[in-house]
Amino acid sequence: MPRRLAFAQLSVREQPLVFLAVAFILGEVAAVGVPLLPLKFWFLTAALFFVIAVASICIQRWQWQRDWVITALFLLSCSACGGLLWSLNEASVAKCRIKSLFARDVIQAAEPVEIWGMINAAPELAPDRIYLEVAIERIATMGQEQEASGTVRLVVPFTEAQDRLDYDALQLDYGVKIRALTNLRKAQGYRNPGAPDFDELLEYRGYDATGLIKSALLIERLGGGTGYRILRVLYSI
C-alpha cells in the first residue's frame, strides 16, 4: 500500500519568505487604496516597527516579549516597506511626464502634438525611415503650451526620394534641439498571440511614447551643440 506524502504545515518558522512576501504585497495594496499618505509615513512606520522588533529581541527583561509579537512587528515593518516602494514609484513620475499626460488625457493619439526637445541619441537609419530619440522639454496641444518631460521615439518615413533630401538638409544629430509636429501614441494595439508586449519593451528602454512625423518638413532645427561632448564624439565616430 503506497504511503501518503506528508507536507509541512504552513508556518512562519518553516516558510518565512511566504509570509514576508504576503505582507509586502498587502503594504503595496494599502498604498494604492490610500494614495494620500506621504512617503514619510511609510518610511517612519517601517523604521519604527523594525526598531521595536530589534529592541524587543535585545532587551530580554521585557515581560510582554513573545515570539508572536516580534514576528508581527517584522511583518508590519515589511508591509510598510511595500507601501514605501509603491509611493516611491508613484512619486518618481512627475505630473508633466508624457506618460502622466496620457493618463490624464491631456495628450490623445488622434490629435497632433507640437513638441520641443533635444535628440539624445544618434538617429537610427532604416531602409525607408529613420528613428529619432527625443528628450521632451515642452509640448503644445489644443493650442495650449506647457512644460513636459520624458523620452519619445519618433519615426520619419521616406516615401519618396525628396523626403530623404529634406531630412538630410536638417543635419540632425545627437544634441540638436528640434521643434516638430507629430502624433504621439501610448498604446500599440493589436499584437500577435505569444508576441512580447511592445509597450513593455518601450518602457524597459525608457520611452514614454512613440510618435510619427509624417514629413521631414514638419521638423524645425532650433540649434545644436548641447548634450555631452564625449557622447557627441562617440556618435560621430
Side-chain angles (χ1 to χ4, degrees):
M1 185 175 182
R3 294 180 57 185
R4 309 181 78 181
L5 296 177
F7 294 94
Q9 185 179 2
L10 186 64
S11 65
V12 179
R13 288 182 178 273
E14 297 182 2
Q15 299 91 9
L17 294 181
V18 174
F19 288 86
L20 291 176
V22 172
F24 192 87
I25 294 173
L26 290 178
E28 291 185 325
V29 173
V32 175
V34 190
L36 299 179
L37 293 177
L39 290 173
K40 291 182 178 180
F41 171 81
W42 295 110
F43 178 77
L44 293 177
T45 301
L48 179 62
F49 284 128
F50 182 79
V51 170
I52 294 176
V54 173
S56 64
I57 295 175
C58 298
I59 303 175
Q60 298 293 335
R61 65 174 181 269
W62 285 5
Q63 299 296 326
W64 54 270
Q65 179 186 350
R66 294 293 187 272
D67 290 343
W68 65 270
V69 175
I70 299 174
T71 301
L73 291 172
F74 276 118
L75 291 177
L76 290 174
S77 177
C78 187
S79 181
C81 288
L84 177 62
L85 178 63
W86 182 269
S87 300
L88 285 172
N89 180 68
E90 291 296 313
S92 63
V93 181
K95 293 183 178 180
C96 63
R97 187 82 177 262
I98 294 296
K99 60 175 62 178
S100 298
L101 297 179
F102 268 106
R104 303 202 312 268
D105 291 333
V106 176
I107 301 177
Q108 297 183 3
E111 299 175 356
V113 179
E114 192 173 6
I115 63 170
W116 289 261
M118 184 192 75
I119 301 176
N120 61 355
E124 300 179 18
L125 182 62
D128 58 347
R129 66 191 63 189
I130 197 164
Y131 294 95
L132 301 177
E133 183 177 315
V134 180
I136 301 298
E137 298 175 355
R138 288 182 298 160
I139 66 167
T141 177
M142 300 294 292
Q144 297 181 354
E145 183 178 334
Q146 64 179 14
E147 298 291 331
S149 62
T151 304
V152 298
R153 183 175 174 84
L154 305 176
V155 57
V156 184
F158 300 146
T159 56
E160 299 178 0
Q162 184 62 35
D163 296 334
R164 178 61 188 272
L165 297 177
D166 294 337
Y167 172 82
D168 292 340
L170 294 171
Q171 297 182 350
L172 301 181
D173 204 348
Y174 168 77
V176 175
K177 290 192 174 183
I178 64 171
R179 175 185 179 186
L181 186 65
T182 179
N183 286 86
L184 297 178
R185 64 179 181 178
K186 178 63 177 175
Q188 178 66 13
Y190 176 78
R191 62 188 177 96
N192 293 328
D197 192 338
F198 188 72
D199 294 338
E200 292 183 359
L201 293 177
L202 290 177
E203 188 172 353
Y204 290 151
R205 296 188 61 181
Y207 299 133
D208 290 58
T210 59
L212 172 66
I213 302 178
K214 297 181 179 180
S215 173
L217 298 177
L218 299 177
I219 304 175
E220 178 184 358
R221 180 189 173 112
L222 301 179
T226 59
Y228 297 101
R229 181 176 300 178
I230 296 179
L231 288 179
R232 290 204 304 270
V233 173
L234 293 176
Y235 282 132
S236 63
I237 295 175

